[in-house]
Amino acid sequence: MSISLRKSESINLTRQEPGLKRILVGLGWELLPSSPLDLDSSVFIISGNNKVISDEYFVFYNNLKSPDGAVQHTGDNRTGLGDGDDEVILANLDLVDSQVSELFFLVSVHDGVERKHTFGMLQKAYIRLYDMDAKREVARFNLEDDHPKATEVIFGKLIRINGDWKFLADGTGTNIGLQGYVDIYT
């Protein structure tokens, strides 16, 4: 049975899902009528110094796979149309480099600041973790529609603490743009 999380809640995946290795991180949203948004998901693979290990460990639509093969983006969905996950990230927790302390999943509105497009133009956003081996959803975080002016939102974080993987339902919205995050973490 899937665990439904609220903002700032977390789950210890290592303890509650001890066999979890290969996960699908599904990110989804629904556009409001006549909202021509292109949203992009990204993963920042962070080491203990709070930076990506190297530029190649920033996984997004122009860099679909981390060098160690642990994290893979399946491609950019430019319309967000249809049911289910709009963008998907695959991760193999056993392959994640030992110096990695966090994977954080950001969804940004493409050229949001320039086009004046925001998260207020969509609804029903979520992030979910799916166990690919057991073929079942483990956890889901349905974001509140409380970011009407944000151009990007951190949907969730996988955090490694003392060897345990925890998932944090984040939901932090900002207006610094994807490049702002790249500048902070690279």
Side-chain angles (χ1 to χ4, degrees):
M1 181 173 158
S2 179
I3 295 174
S4 181
L5 298 170
R6 291 190 194 119
K7 186 174 183 172
S8 301
E9 288 184 332
S10 65
I11 175 178
N12 185 321
L13 295 170
T14 303
R15 291 188 186 149
Q16 293 196 286
E17 299 289 333
L20 186 65
K21 295 181 187 341
R22 296 182 323 121
I23 59 172
L24 176 149
V25 180
L27 302 131
W29 50 83
E30 295 298 325
L31 299 177
L32 294 175
S34 70
S35 295
L37 294 183
D38 176 16
L39 278 84
D40 299 313
S41 61
S42 308
V43 183
F44 289 81
I45 303 170
I46 306 294
S47 68
N49 67 357
N50 210 29
K51 299 283 186 185
V52 294
I53 296 172
S54 67
D55 290 347
E56 296 79 22
Y57 283 87
F58 166 49
V59 177
F60 69 118
Y61 58 85
N62 275 339
N63 178 40
L64 296 176
K65 195 172 194 179
S66 63
D68 57 9
V71 178
Q72 180 179 348
H73 191 301
T74 63
D76 188 18
N77 175 341
R78 293 180 179 223
T79 66
L81 297 175
D83 293 331
D85 302 330
D86 292 302
E87 294 199 7
V88 171
I89 310 291
L90 305 173
N92 186 327
L93 299 177
D94 283 351
L95 297 180
V96 174
D97 190 289
S98 62
Q99 61 185 310
V100 172
S101 60
E102 181 178 314
L103 305 165
F104 83 78
F105 302 91
L106 179 78
V107 176
S108 54
V109 179
H110 185 74
D111 292 335
V113 173
E114 296 83 359
R115 295 179 181 181
K116 295 185 170 85
H117 290 172
T118 68
F119 271 77
M121 300 169 80
L122 60 95
Q123 60 189 356
K124 298 180 184 173
Y126 68 86
I127 182 171
R128 71 187 189 104
L129 300 182
Y130 182 84
D131 183 333
M132 293 177 57
D133 296 318
K135 298 187 181 353
R136 65 179 182 80
E137 186 174 283
V138 174
R140 175 180 288 258
F141 170 43
N142 293 318
L143 279 77
E144 302 291 325
D145 296 331
D146 61 354
H147 298 296
K149 296 182 181 184
T151 55
E152 56 282 330
V153 174
I154 300 172
F155 276 37
K157 298 178 179 182
L158 278 170
I159 304 168
R160 184 166 26 199
I161 301 172
N162 298 324
D164 283 2
W165 283 105
K166 295 181 180 184
F167 177 73
L168 171 69
D170 194 300
T172 302
T174 60
N175 291 87
I176 63 172
L178 179 57
Q179 186 61 50
Y181 280 92
V182 170
D183 293 344
I184 292 169
Y185 291 102
T186 59

